[in-house]
Amino acid sequence: MEETTALTVRQAAALLRMGQAAKAREILAKAVAAAPGHAEAWTLLARCELSLSSPEAALTAGQGALRADPGHAEAYWVTARARLDLGRPVQAERAATEAVRLDPARWYTHAVLAEARAFHPLPWIRRKALEPARRAVELGPYEPGAHIAAGVAAYRARRRRQARRHFEQALALDPTDDVALNNLALTDLARWRLGLAARRLMTSYTANPASPIPLHNLGVIAGRLVQAAQMLTVIGLIAMAVALAATDGDAVRRVLGGALLAAWALLVRAVVRLPHPARRWLARRVSGAGVVVWALLIVAPAGATLAAAVLPRDLALITVVVPLLILQGLGGVLLLPLLLRRMLRAVRAARADG
């Protein structure tokens, strides 16, 4: 039985290397059912589940490997990887620490520890992500995964240039690496280079439509455009109010109104040019009660600002100051329950993860 299971594991490993994770999973499931004490079979099954984006199943397989052999370093690695994919960085950090302790000579044990620490909710743990990331690159200088982990650790530590270098190195080693491409797009987002980020993400989305990562990040781009519209609206209202209070002339107001109108037109153009998945994400956000919130935060104040550019001064003061104090304040009050609910969700998730 042992020899048969070992042969099955070798066949499954070959299939996994050829990209046939589903077929490898099928034969490994039979192997672990017949030999539940074979830790290597469980570990390889977990790796197949990770390749197929099934972290829950990968975690179950990893736990099966640990039951079979509590000292199996790779079992701790796949367990940490699965928990990280499930958004449980606290548990992932514990498993990754054990993986590094058991097998400190493998780059991937240090890499998963770096990523788990990078996403840890405690800031002093996040700051410790750079050391295992550096060690992962030292042990695997030609491994894209090592550079991706180092890039994630640097990005979370707000070392954006260092992160870009690691992601670019990962893509140089493997131009088809979807994770590196998405993370590089995130660094473009941090620099507000939305067009370049959208093009990278669409390349990733086209290559792998089943992956939720590019769709999520395209939604982040749409969200950034909404944030830009909100900031522009507030700045426009304040600038117009100052112009009204400081001068009686119409020229300043008209120039300011024209500049704001041009800026809004550029934002609208950017939204229209977004890829379809990003526009679909934005449409879902701006629906139902969201229509009222966005109208109060953006559309109504924007209209008041443009009206203030052409109306008589006294009437313009009313159309600017009142929306500034009431509409923005009312929009903030409407958003407050949404923000509180999001905070409560985060607290519950942290408790469940801990």
mmCIF file of all heavy atoms in Angstrom, residues 163-209:
data_model
loop_
_atom_site.group_PDB
_atom_site.id
_atom_site.type_symbol
_atom_site.label_atom_id
_atom_site.label_comp_id
_atom_site.label_asym_id
_atom_site.label_seq_id
_atom_site.Cartn_x
_atom_site.Cartn_y
_atom_site.Cartn_z
ATOM 1 N N ALA A 163 8.873 47.824 -3.456
ATOM 2 C CA ALA A 163 7.843 46.865 -3.851
ATOM 3 C C ALA A 163 7.784 46.740 -5.366
ATOM 4 O O ALA A 163 7.713 45.619 -5.910
ATOM 5 C CB ALA A 163 6.488 47.290 -3.299
ATOM 6 N N ARG A 164 7.820 47.879 -6.067
ATOM 7 C CA ARG A 164 7.777 47.841 -7.534
ATOM 8 C C ARG A 164 8.950 47.050 -8.093
ATOM 9 O O ARG A 164 8.787 46.271 -9.034
ATOM 10 C CB ARG A 164 7.808 49.264 -8.115
ATOM 11 C CG ARG A 164 6.486 49.987 -8.070
ATOM 12 C CD ARG A 164 6.560 51.288 -8.844
ATOM 13 N NE ARG A 164 6.736 51.013 -10.272
ATOM 14 C CZ ARG A 164 5.739 50.715 -11.099
ATOM 15 N NH1 ARG A 164 4.503 50.643 -10.649
ATOM 16 N NH2 ARG A 164 5.980 50.495 -12.368
ATOM 17 N N ARG A 165 10.137 47.246 -7.519
ATOM 18 C CA ARG A 165 11.316 46.522 -8.021
ATOM 19 C C ARG A 165 11.131 45.008 -7.886
ATOM 20 O O ARG A 165 11.468 44.248 -8.796
ATOM 21 C CB ARG A 165 12.574 46.978 -7.269
ATOM 22 C CG ARG A 165 13.068 48.355 -7.655
ATOM 23 C CD ARG A 165 14.496 48.569 -7.192
ATOM 24 N NE ARG A 165 14.613 48.523 -5.740
ATOM 25 C CZ ARG A 165 14.498 49.570 -4.943
ATOM 26 N NH1 ARG A 165 14.245 50.756 -5.465
ATOM 27 N NH2 ARG A 165 14.634 49.450 -3.640
ATOM 28 N N HIS A 166 10.587 44.584 -6.755
ATOM 29 C CA HIS A 166 10.376 43.149 -6.553
ATOM 30 C C HIS A 166 9.320 42.598 -7.514
ATOM 31 O O HIS A 166 9.490 41.502 -8.081
ATOM 32 C CB HIS A 166 9.973 42.874 -5.110
ATOM 33 C CG HIS A 166 11.116 42.907 -4.150
ATOM 34 N ND1 HIS A 166 12.186 42.041 -4.224
ATOM 35 C CD2 HIS A 166 11.370 43.715 -3.076
ATOM 36 C CE1 HIS A 166 13.036 42.297 -3.250
ATOM 37 N NE2 HIS A 166 12.566 43.303 -2.544
ATOM 38 N N PHE A 167 8.218 43.322 -7.705
ATOM 39 C CA PHE A 167 7.168 42.840 -8.613
ATOM 40 C C PHE A 167 7.672 42.813 -10.060
ATOM 41 O O PHE A 167 7.349 41.891 -10.816
ATOM 42 C CB PHE A 167 5.919 43.713 -8.496
ATOM 43 C CG PHE A 167 5.253 43.647 -7.148
ATOM 44 C CD1 PHE A 167 4.712 44.788 -6.562
ATOM 45 C CD2 PHE A 167 5.170 42.456 -6.458
ATOM 46 C CE1 PHE A 167 4.101 44.736 -5.317
ATOM 47 C CE2 PHE A 167 4.561 42.385 -5.208
ATOM 48 C CZ PHE A 167 4.036 43.532 -4.649
ATOM 49 N N GLU A 168 8.456 43.826 -10.441
ATOM 50 C CA GLU A 168 9.017 43.834 -11.791
ATOM 51 C C GLU A 168 9.998 42.690 -11.983
ATOM 52 O O GLU A 168 10.064 42.082 -13.065
ATOM 53 C CB GLU A 168 9.689 45.189 -12.053
ATOM 54 C CG GLU A 168 8.692 46.322 -12.260
ATOM 55 C CD GLU A 168 9.340 47.695 -12.238
ATOM 56 O OE1 GLU A 168 10.560 47.768 -11.907
ATOM 57 O OE2 GLU A 168 8.656 48.693 -12.538
ATOM 58 N N GLN A 169 10.776 42.382 -10.934
ATOM 59 C CA GLN A 169 11.700 41.253 -11.017
ATOM 60 C C GLN A 169 10.936 39.933 -11.150
ATOM 61 O O GLN A 169 11.339 39.045 -11.912
ATOM 62 C CB GLN A 169 12.593 41.222 -9.767
ATOM 63 C CG GLN A 169 13.622 40.099 -9.750
ATOM 64 C CD GLN A 169 14.621 40.195 -10.883
ATOM 65 O OE1 GLN A 169 14.952 41.291 -11.339
ATOM 66 N NE2 GLN A 169 15.100 39.051 -11.368
ATOM 67 N N ALA A 170 9.822 39.814 -10.414
ATOM 68 C CA ALA A 170 8.999 38.599 -10.523
ATOM 69 C C ALA A 170 8.460 38.437 -11.939
ATOM 70 O O ALA A 170 8.458 37.323 -12.492
ATOM 71 C CB ALA A 170 7.853 38.660 -9.516
ATOM 72 N N LEU A 171 8.017 39.537 -12.555
ATOM 73 C CA LEU A 171 7.510 39.470 -13.930
ATOM 74 C C LEU A 171 8.634 39.197 -14.924
ATOM 75 O O LEU A 171 8.410 38.544 -15.949
ATOM 76 C CB LEU A 171 6.799 40.778 -14.292
ATOM 77 C CG LEU A 171 5.368 40.913 -13.776
ATOM 78 C CD1 LEU A 171 4.839 42.306 -14.071
ATOM 79 C CD2 LEU A 171 4.468 39.857 -14.401
ATOM 80 N N ALA A 172 9.834 39.699 -14.635
ATOM 81 C CA ALA A 172 10.969 39.400 -15.509
ATOM 82 C C ALA A 172 11.291 37.906 -15.485
ATOM 83 O O ALA A 172 11.657 37.316 -16.509
ATOM 84 C CB ALA A 172 12.184 40.212 -15.077
ATOM 85 N N LEU A 173 11.144 37.291 -14.316
ATOM 86 C CA LEU A 173 11.394 35.854 -14.194
ATOM 87 C C LEU A 173 10.268 35.027 -14.799
ATOM 88 O O LEU A 173 10.501 33.949 -15.351
ATOM 89 C CB LEU A 173 11.570 35.482 -12.718
ATOM 90 C CG LEU A 173 12.843 36.022 -12.045
ATOM 91 C CD1 LEU A 173 12.761 35.861 -10.534
ATOM 92 C CD2 LEU A 173 14.076 35.316 -12.591
ATOM 93 N N ASP A 174 9.015 35.538 -14.692
ATOM 94 C CA ASP A 174 7.853 34.832 -15.246
ATOM 95 C C ASP A 174 6.842 35.863 -15.741
ATOM 96 O O ASP A 174 6.020 36.363 -14.963
ATOM 97 C CB ASP A 174 7.218 33.934 -14.186
ATOM 98 C CG ASP A 174 6.031 33.144 -14.737
ATOM 99 O OD1 ASP A 174 5.761 33.236 -15.945
ATOM 100 O OD2 ASP A 174 5.371 32.435 -13.957
ATOM 101 N N PRO A 175 6.907 36.218 -17.032
ATOM 102 C CA PRO A 175 6.004 37.262 -17.569
ATOM 103 C C PRO A 175 4.527 36.907 -17.481
ATOM 104 O O PRO A 175 3.672 37.788 -17.658
ATOM 105 C CB PRO A 175 6.452 37.386 -19.031
ATOM 106 C CG PRO A 175 7.834 36.829 -19.065
ATOM 107 C CD PRO A 175 7.855 35.742 -18.027
ATOM 108 N N THR A 176 4.199 35.646 -17.226
ATOM 109 C CA THR A 176 2.790 35.239 -17.154
ATOM 110 C C THR A 176 2.267 35.218 -15.723
ATOM 111 O O THR A 176 1.128 34.811 -15.504
ATOM 112 C CB THR A 176 2.605 33.841 -17.766
ATOM 113 O OG1 THR A 176 3.318 32.873 -16.970
ATOM 114 C CG2 THR A 176 3.125 33.793 -19.188
ATOM 115 N N ASP A 177 3.079 35.643 -14.749
ATOM 116 C CA ASP A 177 2.673 35.554 -13.349
ATOM 117 C C ASP A 177 1.553 36.548 -13.064
ATOM 118 O O ASP A 177 1.750 37.764 -13.058
ATOM 119 C CB ASP A 177 3.865 35.828 -12.424
ATOM 120 C CG ASP A 177 3.588 35.378 -10.998
ATOM 121 O OD1 ASP A 177 2.633 35.908 -10.392
ATOM 122 O OD2 ASP A 177 4.314 34.501 -10.496
ATOM 123 N N ASP A 178 0.360 36.005 -12.817
ATOM 124 C CA ASP A 178 -0.832 36.823 -12.610
ATOM 125 C C ASP A 178 -0.759 37.623 -11.306
ATOM 126 O O ASP A 178 -1.153 38.784 -11.259
ATOM 127 C CB ASP A 178 -2.059 35.906 -12.598
ATOM 128 C CG ASP A 178 -3.360 36.659 -12.526
ATOM 129 O OD1 ASP A 178 -3.598 37.491 -13.406
ATOM 130 O OD2 ASP A 178 -4.134 36.414 -11.588
ATOM 131 N N VAL A 179 -0.223 37.006 -10.262
ATOM 132 C CA VAL A 179 -0.156 37.678 -8.962
ATOM 133 C C VAL A 179 0.794 38.868 -9.019
ATOM 134 O O VAL A 179 0.503 39.956 -8.503
ATOM 135 C CB VAL A 179 0.281 36.686 -7.865
ATOM 136 C CG1 VAL A 179 0.421 37.391 -6.526
ATOM 137 C CG2 VAL A 179 -0.725 35.560 -7.755
ATOM 138 N N ALA A 180 1.956 38.686 -9.679
ATOM 139 C CA ALA A 180 2.914 39.783 -9.801
ATOM 140 C C ALA A 180 2.315 40.945 -10.595
ATOM 141 O O ALA A 180 2.499 42.119 -10.244
ATOM 142 C CB ALA A 180 4.191 39.288 -10.467
ATOM 143 N N LEU A 181 1.589 40.622 -11.664
ATOM 144 C CA LEU A 181 0.980 41.663 -12.496
ATOM 145 C C LEU A 181 -0.056 42.453 -11.707
ATOM 146 O O LEU A 181 -0.115 43.692 -11.786
ATOM 147 C CB LEU A 181 0.341 41.017 -13.725
ATOM 148 C CG LEU A 181 -0.161 41.967 -14.816
ATOM 149 C CD1 LEU A 181 0.979 42.785 -15.385
ATOM 150 C CD2 LEU A 181 -0.831 41.167 -15.930
ATOM 151 N N ASN A 182 -0.869 41.765 -10.915
ATOM 152 C CA ASN A 182 -1.879 42.450 -10.116
ATOM 153 C C ASN A 182 -1.248 43.319 -9.034
ATOM 154 O O ASN A 182 -1.699 44.439 -8.776
ATOM 155 C CB ASN A 182 -2.821 41.426 -9.486
ATOM 156 C CG ASN A 182 -3.924 41.001 -10.421
ATOM 157 O OD1 ASN A 182 -4.922 41.685 -10.577
ATOM 158 N ND2 ASN A 182 -3.742 39.878 -11.083
ATOM 159 N N ASN A 183 -0.210 42.816 -8.406
ATOM 160 C CA ASN A 183 0.448 43.599 -7.362
ATOM 161 C C ASN A 183 1.170 44.813 -7.943
ATOM 162 O O ASN A 183 1.214 45.874 -7.322
ATOM 163 C CB ASN A 183 1.422 42.721 -6.580
ATOM 164 C CG ASN A 183 0.726 41.883 -5.535
ATOM 165 O OD1 ASN A 183 0.111 42.401 -4.618
ATOM 166 N ND2 ASN A 183 0.797 40.567 -5.672
ATOM 167 N N LEU A 184 1.734 44.652 -9.131
ATOM 168 C CA LEU A 184 2.361 45.804 -9.791
ATOM 169 C C LEU A 184 1.311 46.863 -10.117
ATOM 170 O O LEU A 184 1.564 48.070 -9.989
ATOM 171 C CB LEU A 184 3.074 45.342 -11.059
ATOM 172 C CG LEU A 184 3.964 46.379 -11.762
ATOM 173 C CD1 LEU A 184 5.026 46.910 -10.813
ATOM 174 C CD2 LEU A 184 4.607 45.787 -13.000
ATOM 175 N N ALA A 185 0.121 46.417 -10.511
ATOM 176 C CA ALA A 185 -0.978 47.357 -10.756
ATOM 177 C C ALA A 185 -1.359 48.098 -9.478
ATOM 178 O O ALA A 185 -1.725 49.283 -9.519
ATOM 179 C CB ALA A 185 -2.186 46.620 -11.323
ATOM 180 N N LEU A 186 -1.257 47.432 -8.324
ATOM 181 C CA LEU A 186 -1.553 48.097 -7.051
ATOM 182 C C LEU A 186 -0.575 49.237 -6.776
ATOM 183 O O LEU A 186 -0.951 50.266 -6.230
ATOM 184 C CB LEU A 186 -1.510 47.089 -5.901
ATOM 185 C CG LEU A 186 -2.711 46.171 -5.739
ATOM 186 C CD1 LEU A 186 -2.518 45.270 -4.532
ATOM 187 C CD2 LEU A 186 -4.004 46.967 -5.591
ATOM 188 N N THR A 187 0.698 49.043 -7.151
ATOM 189 C CA THR A 187 1.661 50.138 -6.963
ATOM 190 C C THR A 187 1.338 51.301 -7.899
ATOM 191 O O THR A 187 1.568 52.460 -7.552
ATOM 192 C CB THR A 187 3.099 49.653 -7.194
ATOM 193 O OG1 THR A 187 3.268 49.259 -8.563
ATOM 194 C CG2 THR A 187 3.434 48.475 -6.297
ATOM 195 N N ASP A 188 0.799 50.990 -9.088
ATOM 196 C CA ASP A 188 0.342 52.066 -9.979
ATOM 197 C C ASP A 188 -0.839 52.804 -9.357
ATOM 198 O O ASP A 188 -0.942 54.034 -9.457
ATOM 199 C CB ASP A 188 -0.064 51.494 -11.342
ATOM 200 C CG ASP A 188 1.110 50.898 -12.097
ATOM 201 O OD1 ASP A 188 2.216 51.452 -11.994
ATOM 202 O OD2 ASP A 188 0.917 49.876 -12.784
ATOM 203 N N LEU A 189 -1.730 52.055 -8.715
ATOM 204 C CA LEU A 189 -2.868 52.680 -8.037
ATOM 205 C C LEU A 189 -2.394 53.618 -6.937
ATOM 206 O O LEU A 189 -2.949 54.704 -6.743
ATOM 207 C CB LEU A 189 -3.771 51.608 -7.434
ATOM 208 C CG LEU A 189 -4.794 50.933 -8.347
ATOM 209 C CD1 LEU A 189 -5.534 49.853 -7.587
ATOM 210 C CD2 LEU A 189 -5.776 51.945 -8.890
ATOM 211 N N ALA A 190 -1.368 53.201 -6.195
ATOM 212 C CA ALA A 190 -0.857 54.032 -5.104
ATOM 213 C C ALA A 190 -0.304 55.344 -5.631
ATOM 214 O O ALA A 190 -0.319 56.361 -4.924
ATOM 215 C CB ALA A 190 0.227 53.280 -4.334
ATOM 216 N N ARG A 191 0.154 55.351 -6.880
ATOM 217 C CA ARG A 191 0.671 56.591 -7.492
ATOM 218 C C ARG A 191 -0.401 57.303 -8.317
ATOM 219 O O ARG A 191 -0.104 58.244 -9.032
ATOM 220 C CB ARG A 191 1.869 56.266 -8.387
ATOM 221 C CG ARG A 191 3.057 55.662 -7.635
ATOM 222 C CD ARG A 191 4.272 55.550 -8.523
ATOM 223 N NE ARG A 191 4.061 54.657 -9.653
ATOM 224 C CZ ARG A 191 4.855 54.589 -10.718
ATOM 225 N NH1 ARG A 191 5.913 55.375 -10.791
ATOM 226 N NH2 ARG A 191 4.598 53.746 -11.686
ATOM 227 N N TRP A 192 -1.641 56.821 -8.228
ATOM 228 C CA TRP A 192 -2.779 57.382 -8.964
ATOM 229 C C TRP A 192 -2.573 57.298 -10.480
ATOM 230 O O TRP A 192 -3.117 58.093 -11.240
ATOM 231 C CB TRP A 192 -3.065 58.831 -8.551
ATOM 232 C CG TRP A 192 -3.842 58.889 -7.272
ATOM 233 C CD1 TRP A 192 -3.319 58.866 -6.020
ATOM 234 C CD2 TRP A 192 -5.258 58.957 -7.101
ATOM 235 N NE1 TRP A 192 -4.318 58.901 -5.074
ATOM 236 C CE2 TRP A 192 -5.523 58.977 -5.709
ATOM 237 C CE3 TRP A 192 -6.329 58.993 -7.988
ATOM 238 C CZ2 TRP A 192 -6.803 59.024 -5.196
ATOM 239 C CZ3 TRP A 192 -7.615 59.058 -7.470
ATOM 240 C CH2 TRP A 192 -7.833 59.076 -6.085
ATOM 241 N N ARG A 193 -1.809 56.321 -10.916
ATOM 242 C CA ARG A 193 -1.675 56.071 -12.356
ATOM 243 C C ARG A 193 -2.746 55.047 -12.737
ATOM 244 O O ARG A 193 -2.489 53.872 -12.985
ATOM 245 C CB ARG A 193 -0.270 55.574 -12.675
ATOM 246 C CG ARG A 193 0.807 56.570 -12.293
ATOM 247 C CD ARG A 193 2.178 56.129 -12.736
ATOM 248 N NE ARG A 193 2.288 56.104 -14.197
ATOM 249 C CZ ARG A 193 3.405 55.784 -14.845
ATOM 250 N NH1 ARG A 193 4.497 55.482 -14.163
ATOM 251 N NH2 ARG A 193 3.441 55.769 -16.164
ATOM 252 N N LEU A 194 -3.988 55.547 -12.746
ATOM 253 C CA LEU A 194 -5.143 54.657 -12.874
ATOM 254 C C LEU A 194 -5.221 53.993 -14.237
ATOM 255 O O LEU A 194 -5.620 52.836 -14.356
ATOM 256 C CB LEU A 194 -6.430 55.435 -12.583
ATOM 257 C CG LEU A 194 -6.499 56.160 -11.235
ATOM 258 C CD1 LEU A 194 -7.868 56.775 -11.043
ATOM 259 C CD2 LEU A 194 -6.172 55.222 -10.092
ATOM 260 N N GLY A 195 -4.865 54.739 -15.292
ATOM 261 C CA GLY A 195 -4.938 54.169 -16.638
ATOM 262 C C GLY A 195 -3.991 52.993 -16.813
ATOM 263 O O GLY A 195 -4.362 51.949 -17.342
ATOM 264 N N LEU A 196 -2.732 53.164 -16.348
ATOM 265 C CA LEU A 196 -1.754 52.086 -16.456
ATOM 266 C C LEU A 196 -2.182 50.888 -15.611
ATOM 267 O O LEU A 196 -2.076 49.734 -16.049
ATOM 268 C CB LEU A 196 -0.380 52.595 -15.994
ATOM 269 C CG LEU A 196 0.767 51.575 -16.010
ATOM 270 C CD1 LEU A 196 0.956 51.002 -17.410
ATOM 271 C CD2 LEU A 196 2.052 52.226 -15.504
ATOM 272 N N ALA A 197 -2.690 51.166 -14.404
ATOM 273 C CA ALA A 197 -3.160 50.073 -13.543
ATOM 274 C C ALA A 197 -4.310 49.322 -14.210
ATOM 275 O O ALA A 197 -4.357 48.082 -14.182
ATOM 276 C CB ALA A 197 -3.602 50.625 -12.188
ATOM 277 N N ALA A 198 -5.249 50.052 -14.816
ATOM 278 C CA ALA A 198 -6.394 49.405 -15.473
ATOM 279 C C ALA A 198 -5.938 48.528 -16.633
ATOM 280 O O ALA A 198 -6.459 47.424 -16.829
ATOM 281 C CB ALA A 198 -7.383 50.465 -15.959
ATOM 282 N N ARG A 199 -4.940 48.991 -17.395
ATOM 283 C CA ARG A 199 -4.455 48.183 -18.526
ATOM 284 C C ARG A 199 -3.791 46.892 -18.028
ATOM 285 O O ARG A 199 -3.998 45.824 -18.599
ATOM 286 C CB ARG A 199 -3.476 49.004 -19.365
ATOM 287 C CG ARG A 199 -4.145 50.067 -20.214
ATOM 288 C CD ARG A 199 -3.209 50.629 -21.245
ATOM 289 N NE ARG A 199 -2.105 51.384 -20.645
ATOM 290 C CZ ARG A 199 -2.165 52.678 -20.313
ATOM 291 N NH1 ARG A 199 -3.285 53.349 -20.505
ATOM 292 N NH2 ARG A 199 -1.131 53.285 -19.794
ATOM 293 N N ARG A 200 -2.998 47.007 -16.965
ATOM 294 C CA ARG A 200 -2.368 45.804 -16.412
ATOM 295 C C ARG A 200 -3.428 44.819 -15.913
ATOM 296 O O ARG A 200 -3.334 43.606 -16.121
ATOM 297 C CB ARG A 200 -1.440 46.174 -15.259
ATOM 298 C CG ARG A 200 -0.201 46.959 -15.636
ATOM 299 C CD ARG A 200 0.734 47.013 -14.431
ATOM 300 N NE ARG A 200 1.702 48.073 -14.503
ATOM 301 C CZ ARG A 200 2.850 48.020 -15.164
ATOM 302 N NH1 ARG A 200 3.161 46.942 -15.853
ATOM 303 N NH2 ARG A 200 3.688 49.042 -15.158
ATOM 304 N N LEU A 201 -4.425 45.347 -15.233
ATOM 305 C CA LEU A 201 -5.457 44.481 -14.661
ATOM 306 C C LEU A 201 -6.304 43.830 -15.745
ATOM 307 O O LEU A 201 -6.721 42.681 -15.601
ATOM 308 C CB LEU A 201 -6.341 45.279 -13.703
ATOM 309 C CG LEU A 201 -5.637 45.751 -12.425
ATOM 310 C CD1 LEU A 201 -6.507 46.748 -11.672
ATOM 311 C CD2 LEU A 201 -5.303 44.567 -11.530
ATOM 312 N N MET A 202 -6.558 44.556 -16.836
ATOM 313 C CA MET A 202 -7.324 43.951 -17.926
ATOM 314 C C MET A 202 -6.516 42.855 -18.610
ATOM 315 O O MET A 202 -7.076 41.850 -19.052
ATOM 316 C CB MET A 202 -7.740 45.020 -18.940
ATOM 317 C CG MET A 202 -8.982 45.795 -18.532
ATOM 318 S SD MET A 202 -10.394 44.734 -18.070
ATOM 319 C CE MET A 202 -10.721 43.867 -19.599
ATOM 320 N N THR A 203 -5.189 43.039 -18.686
ATOM 321 C CA THR A 203 -4.332 41.967 -19.213
ATOM 322 C C THR A 203 -4.460 40.721 -18.349
ATOM 323 O O THR A 203 -4.606 39.600 -18.840
ATOM 324 C CB THR A 203 -2.870 42.432 -19.253
ATOM 325 O OG1 THR A 203 -2.760 43.581 -20.093
ATOM 326 C CG2 THR A 203 -1.964 41.332 -19.787
ATOM 327 N N SER A 204 -4.433 40.936 -17.034
ATOM 328 C CA SER A 204 -4.572 39.819 -16.098
ATOM 329 C C SER A 204 -5.961 39.196 -16.197
ATOM 330 O O SER A 204 -6.102 37.971 -16.196
ATOM 331 C CB SER A 204 -4.309 40.306 -14.669
ATOM 332 O OG SER A 204 -4.589 39.300 -13.731
ATOM 333 N N TYR A 205 -6.987 40.033 -16.276
ATOM 334 C CA TYR A 205 -8.368 39.544 -16.339
ATOM 335 C C TYR A 205 -8.604 38.745 -17.622
ATOM 336 O O TYR A 205 -9.259 37.705 -17.606
ATOM 337 C CB TYR A 205 -9.332 40.717 -16.265
ATOM 338 C CG TYR A 205 -10.784 40.331 -16.427
ATOM 339 C CD1 TYR A 205 -11.445 39.611 -15.437
ATOM 340 C CD2 TYR A 205 -11.496 40.689 -17.568
ATOM 341 C CE1 TYR A 205 -12.781 39.251 -15.584
ATOM 342 C CE2 TYR A 205 -12.822 40.335 -17.727
ATOM 343 C CZ TYR A 205 -13.458 39.618 -16.730
ATOM 344 O OH TYR A 205 -14.772 39.263 -16.884
ATOM 345 N N THR A 206 -8.040 39.212 -18.737
ATOM 346 C CA THR A 206 -8.202 38.513 -20.010
ATOM 347 C C THR A 206 -7.513 37.154 -19.977
ATOM 348 O O THR A 206 -8.036 36.159 -20.493
ATOM 349 C CB THR A 206 -7.624 39.358 -21.151
ATOM 350 O OG1 THR A 206 -8.268 40.638 -21.155
ATOM 351 C CG2 THR A 206 -7.850 38.690 -22.498
ATOM 352 N N ALA A 207 -6.330 37.110 -19.329
ATOM 353 C CA ALA A 207 -5.587 35.854 -19.259
ATOM 354 C C ALA A 207 -6.238 34.856 -18.302
ATOM 355 O O ALA A 207 -6.159 33.648 -18.509
ATOM 356 C CB ALA A 207 -4.144 36.123 -18.838
ATOM 357 N N ASN A 208 -6.887 35.374 -17.250
ATOM 358 C CA ASN A 208 -7.469 34.481 -16.243
ATOM 359 C C ASN A 208 -8.802 35.052 -15.762
ATOM 360 O O ASN A 208 -8.885 35.638 -14.682
ATOM 361 C CB ASN A 208 -6.487 34.324 -15.075
ATOM 362 C CG ASN A 208 -6.957 33.269 -14.080
ATOM 363 O OD1 ASN A 208 -7.900 32.520 -14.337
ATOM 364 N ND2 ASN A 208 -6.312 33.215 -12.931
ATOM 365 N N PRO A 209 -9.865 34.893 -16.558
ATOM 366 C CA PRO A 209 -11.167 35.486 -16.188
ATOM 367 C C PRO A 209 -11.760 34.927 -14.898
ATOM 368 O O PRO A 209 -12.608 35.564 -14.281
ATOM 369 C CB PRO A 209 -12.065 35.149 -17.390
ATOM 370 C CG PRO A 209 -11.145 34.764 -18.488
ATOM 371 C CD PRO A 209 -9.927 34.188 -17.829
#
